[in-house]
Amino acid sequence: MIMVAMLLVMMAVIVVTGIMGALHPASNVELIDPTTLHLQGEFVESNLGTATEPDGSVTVRLIATQYDFVPHCVDVPVGAPVKFRLTSADVVHGFLLPDTNVNTMVVPGFVAEVRTRFAKQAEYAMPCNEFCGLGHQGMWARVRVVPQEQFAGRTLFERRTCATQ
Ligand code: CUA
């Protein structure tokens, strides 16, 4: 009887965690309406790109859409804590910075959040790594890691376009 009870409990745990895991993205459950991204809230156009926080960290907001990331290039400072917040306007995309811990799915209806810190100056190509349609292989953007002083001297527009000064 005890053995059967233990078996049942373990099977129940497997079934419940399996269903819960399938219903929700694992890391960060934040809901958002993908049809009104451009109209209201955190992901309106003027709020996209790299924003500085009072504590010295930066937050990068991006929209993934067929077939580009908006904005297409962002600057972030070396050494500071960086928080990427992404969402999708249409289908499931992927967000990957090669050779870093940044790798997440971007699912419409949810906000994906990844935290990292870049140790050195670099320029990353960020390819979409979820098949999202015929233009998938051409969907990529860039993250430029620039020195703190250079970052501080750049305007919001320059930070979200990587425009050279
Ligand atoms: Cu977006 Cu593949």
Side-chain angles (χ1 to χ4, degrees):
M1 287 291 284
I2 293 171
M3 292 301 290
V4 170
M6 283 169 67
L7 258 179
L8 289 177
V9 168
M10 282 188 269
M11 282 175 69
V13 168
I14 290 169
V15 169
V16 169
T17 53
I19 291 173
M20 297 307 283
L23 288 180
H24 303 289
S27 55
N28 186 55
V29 180
E30 250 183 275
L31 302 175
I32 191 163
D33 181 355
T35 62
T36 58
L37 292 179
H38 57 304
L39 299 177
Q40 61 190 28
E42 188 183 338
F43 290 91
V44 291
E45 191 176 0
S46 59
N47 212 28
L48 298 177
T50 308
T52 48
E53 306 293 348
D55 63 0
S57 68
V58 300
T59 304
V60 181
R61 294 185 179 86
L62 296 159
I63 292 179
T65 178
Q66 287 168 319
Y67 297 100
D68 203 358
F69 290 95
V70 184
H72 185 70
C73 184
V74 287
D75 283 344
V76 296
V78 171
V82 178
K83 184 165 75 183
F84 288 98
R85 287 174 62 76
L86 298 104
T87 192
S88 168
D90 37 49
V91 300
V92 177
H93 298 277
F95 178 69
L96 168 74
L97 298 187
D99 304 324
T100 71
N101 67 336
V102 179
N103 185 357
T104 184
M105 282 169 80
V106 185
V107 182
F110 295 92
V111 178
E113 187 176 301
V114 189
R115 290 158 194 259
T116 191
R117 191 189 288 261
F118 297 98
K120 58 181 189 329
Q121 213 177 316
E123 180 162 340
Y124 295 97
M126 43 180 194
C128 173
N129 65 338
E130 286 286 333
F131 183 75
C132 53
L134 290 176
H136 162 73
Q137 80 279 5
M139 180 172 173
W140 64 280
R142 287 186 300 145
V143 169
R144 286 201 328 182
V145 185
V146 300
Q148 295 267 2
E149 323 78 64
Q150 193 185 332
F151 179 81
R154 292 175 75 74
T155 64
L156 269 177
F157 176 78
E158 288 168 338
R159 286 172 190 168
R160 71 163 171 247
T161 54
C162 302
T164 44
Q165 282 162 315

